[in-house]
Amino acid sequence: MQRTTIRSERVREEYQVIKHPSGLTICLYPMKGYSSTYALFATKYGSVDVTFKTDDDDDYVTVPEGIAHYLEHKLFENDDCDAFQLFAKTGANANAFTSFDKTAYLFSCSQKFEENLEILLSFVQEPYFTDDSVEKERGIIAQEIKMYEDDPGYRVFFNGLQALYHKNPVRIDIGGTVESIAKIDKDLLYRCYKTFYNLNNMMLSIAGNFDIDKTLEICDRLLKPTPDLGLKAVFPDEPEQIKTCETVQKLTCSMPLFNVFFKLPAYESSKGAKKYVLYNIILETVLGKTSAFYDRLLNEGLINNNFMVGVLSGRGFFTPSADGESCDPRKVFTEIKTALKSAKSAGLSEKEFENVRKKTYGELMGVHGSVSSTATNMVEAHFQGNSLFDLIEITADLTYSDAVNALAELDEENSCISVIEPVTDN
């Protein structure tokens, strides 16, 4: 068992990263003085992973969209009961989620941690699918997909990704489509489970009040060693330019919603982490709630307090964005591009950059006071090839010239806007 201690002198904290003989990576972050514990058992498998191969495959395999989400739904069941019932008996809060590039099963508790960990490790490693149960779940997931088809906030986001990307699977809803999930059967679920729920492709992340030795004893007893399959997931070649500059849909809402995306190449590992922090700080500096841009558009009634900026990033995708509500979304889009262009030509405010950088640093430091955020961020960092403390170190070391150079790389015209307009009575 390989054990590494990751320590940050800035945070004055440390955690253990263990490469277990089973193939699983285990991140353990005991937090003194806390009464609760948060644990995630996660796999590097999300909605974007539709084309892949292992050493056992002659060529790449493409599976229906939405299968990662479908698998998450089904894994909670076994032949006797479902895992939620087991967690309910211990008093733990349990959940699961599928994102673009990962799936995680989790619980939080303030008692019976070891018992809850045994439940988590057991049910995730024991898939149980039948033709009848898979068919029953299809109807449930189809209803969920249809529900989101009428959700303005959901649709403005995914419509924007479909305008931004030509082929990247991040443009497809995480749950897939009614048509794609119709192609999913028991055999496909087992195939994807065997491929992506291999312990070499997974990790266990725990933060809070727990005993490391007892935790590892449970892992030694319950983890089932699996050979490394040499898994490779690939993405189709994506053009540098956006697909279309605007997409509009009418749905029931009180005022128009918009989402603006800027297209940049995907970054990996430490470079991706630095770009993520940089573009978040740049957007906050130029467009955020402490900027002159925000005050002016707010006073002009073009935006309201729901206006937000940020960066959507993950394995295979990276896009700075802005979203909100406006009576004139296209005007806001023009103003955003003008503000970014002006920041390039006139120069980013060094004072404002420093203020936002320090604020970001403080927020990142504050995350370590939460067991849920700490455990979740360990998953995110590990799957990106980073440590939990990297974002703090990166933010502390960022310079004004870093921001200027990154802003120069952002083509404000290589962008798109998604708009949801209210349905009007004729």
Side-chain angles (χ1 to χ4, degrees):
M1 187 182 297
Q2 298 176 348
R3 184 183 298 203
T4 305
T5 299
I6 308 297
R7 178 169 178 79
S8 169
E9 295 303 325
R10 294 183 191 276
V11 185
R12 296 183 180 180
E13 292 283 352
E14 65 183 35
Y15 67 101
Q16 302 289 316
V17 178
I18 297 155
K19 186 62 177 179
H20 193 266
S22 63
L24 184 70
T25 296
I26 304 171
C27 292
L28 303 177
Y29 196 133
M31 299 172 71
K32 295 179 181 179
Y34 285 77
S35 60
S36 63
T37 311
Y38 201 91
L40 301 98
F41 197 9
T43 174
K44 195 175 181 180
Y45 178 42
S47 63
V48 298
D49 297 303
V50 293
T51 302
F52 57 88
K53 75 181 293 294
T54 68
D55 291 341
D56 296 331
D57 299 314
D58 294 329
D59 201 356
Y60 284 93
V61 178
T62 299
V63 296
E65 294 154 353
I67 196 165
H69 174 255
Y70 207 124
L71 192 50
E72 175 225 311
H73 271 236
K74 290 304 305 164
L75 208 55
F76 268 100
E77 297 179 6
N78 59 36
D79 56 349
D80 295 324
C81 61
D82 66 48
F84 282 120
Q85 294 172 312
L86 299 176
F87 281 120
K89 293 178 181 179
T90 67
N93 293 317
N95 211 334
F97 67 85
T98 302
S99 68
F100 291 120
D101 57 2
K102 71 183 72 63
T103 304
Y105 304 83
L106 58 96
F107 72 81
S108 62
C109 67
S110 55
Q111 60 181 353
K112 300 182 179 180
F113 166 73
E114 287 85 6
E115 184 177 343
N116 288 316
L117 181 60
E118 291 189 9
I119 295 171
L120 179 68
L121 296 183
S122 296
F123 86 82
V124 174
Q125 293 184 97
E126 296 173 359
Y128 177 76
F129 313 135
T130 66
D131 292 328
D132 288 343
S133 68
V134 171
E135 187 60 38
K136 178 181 177 182
E137 198 68 35
R138 193 187 324 279
I140 295 171
I141 295 176
Q143 287 183 336
E144 184 179 321
I145 291 171
K146 291 176 180 177
M147 177 182 69
Y148 283 117
E149 287 177 352
D150 296 325
D151 185 312
Y154 195 83
R155 288 270 40 100
V156 72
F157 176 73
F158 275 101
N159 290 353
L161 291 179
Q162 289 167 12
L164 189 72
Y165 290 109
H166 297 253
K167 301 177 182 179
N168 192 308
V170 75
R171 67 193 303 275
I172 304 301
D173 292 18
I174 290 172
T177 64
V178 173
E179 292 75 22
S180 70
I181 67 168
K183 303 172 186 176
I184 296 173
D185 58 21
K186 178 184 69 175
D187 293 336
L188 267 178
L189 289 175
Y190 275 118
R191 168 69 184 276
C192 290
Y193 177 86
K194 179 183 176 182
T195 300
F196 288 97
Y197 283 73
N198 181 296
L199 291 183
N200 293 278
N201 193 54
M202 301 181 72
M203 75 162 298
L204 175 66
S205 175
I206 305 172
N209 179 25
F210 66 97
D211 183 274
I212 287 181
D213 291 334
K214 290 181 180 178
T215 297
L216 292 178
E217 287 174 7
I218 294 171
C219 291
D220 289 342
R221 177 162 45 87
L222 295 181
L223 292 176
K224 302 174 181 179
T226 51
D228 191 336
L229 299 177
L231 172 62
K232 296 177 182 177
V234 297
F235 301 95
D237 291 335
E238 176 67 34
E240 292 182 5
Q241 298 300 310
I242 61 166
K243 184 180 181 184
T244 184
C245 63
E246 180 179 311
T247 176
V248 181
Q249 184 178 1
K250 291 185 179 293
L251 289 171
T252 301
C253 54
S254 58
M255 89 182 285
L257 281 66
F258 68 89
N259 208 317
V260 172
F261 291 107
F262 297 89
K263 195 167 190 179
L264 283 170
Y267 305 99
E268 301 297 335
S269 195
S270 59
K271 185 176 181 181
K274 184 173 182 178
K275 293 290 188 181
Y276 176 80
V277 175
L278 268 173
Y279 283 110
N280 269 296
I281 291 176
I282 289 169
L283 291 178
E284 283 292 341
T285 302
V286 180
L287 309 172
K289 294 190 175 181
T290 60
S291 69
F293 167 90
Y294 180 86
D295 285 342
R296 180 170 62 82
L297 266 63
L298 190 66
N299 291 332
E300 292 176 2
L302 281 172
I303 60 173
N304 56 28
N305 291 328
N306 291 326
F307 181 77
M308 302 288 289
V309 294
V311 177
L312 175 69
S313 70
R315 187 160 36 87
F317 57 93
F318 188 99
T319 172
S321 66
D323 64 89
E325 302 171 333
S326 177
C327 57
D328 192 349
R330 293 165 186 84
K331 175 66 173 174
V332 176
F333 186 29
T334 299
E335 292 283 358
I336 288 173
K337 291 189 290 184
T338 300
L340 290 169
K341 187 175 182 178
S342 176
K344 285 183 184 180
S345 59
L348 193 67
S349 168
E350 187 168 2
K351 180 181 178 181
E352 287 301 314
F353 163 78
E354 274 300 315
N355 288 340
V356 175
R357 187 189 66 81
K358 290 175 182 177
K359 176 175 176 287
T360 302
Y361 179 84
E363 291 171 347
L364 289 171
M365 290 287 284
V367 164
H368 293 279
S370 163
V371 294
S372 60
S373 295
T374 299
T376 302
N377 288 344
M378 281 195 294
V379 173
E380 190 75 31
H382 172 71
F383 283 158
Q384 291 179 354
N386 301 314
S387 87
L388 177 64
F389 304 123
D390 281 356
L391 291 185
I392 289 175
E393 297 297 332
I394 288 168
T395 305
D397 295 336
L398 283 181
T399 65
Y400 175 68
S401 62
D402 288 331
V404 171
N405 292 336
L407 181 58
E409 295 174 7
L410 180 67
D411 179 2
E412 66 276 358
E413 295 301 331
N414 194 24
S415 57
C416 64
I417 182 170
S418 170
V419 179
I420 299 295
E421 296 178 344
V423 175
T424 55
D425 296 329
N426 292 328

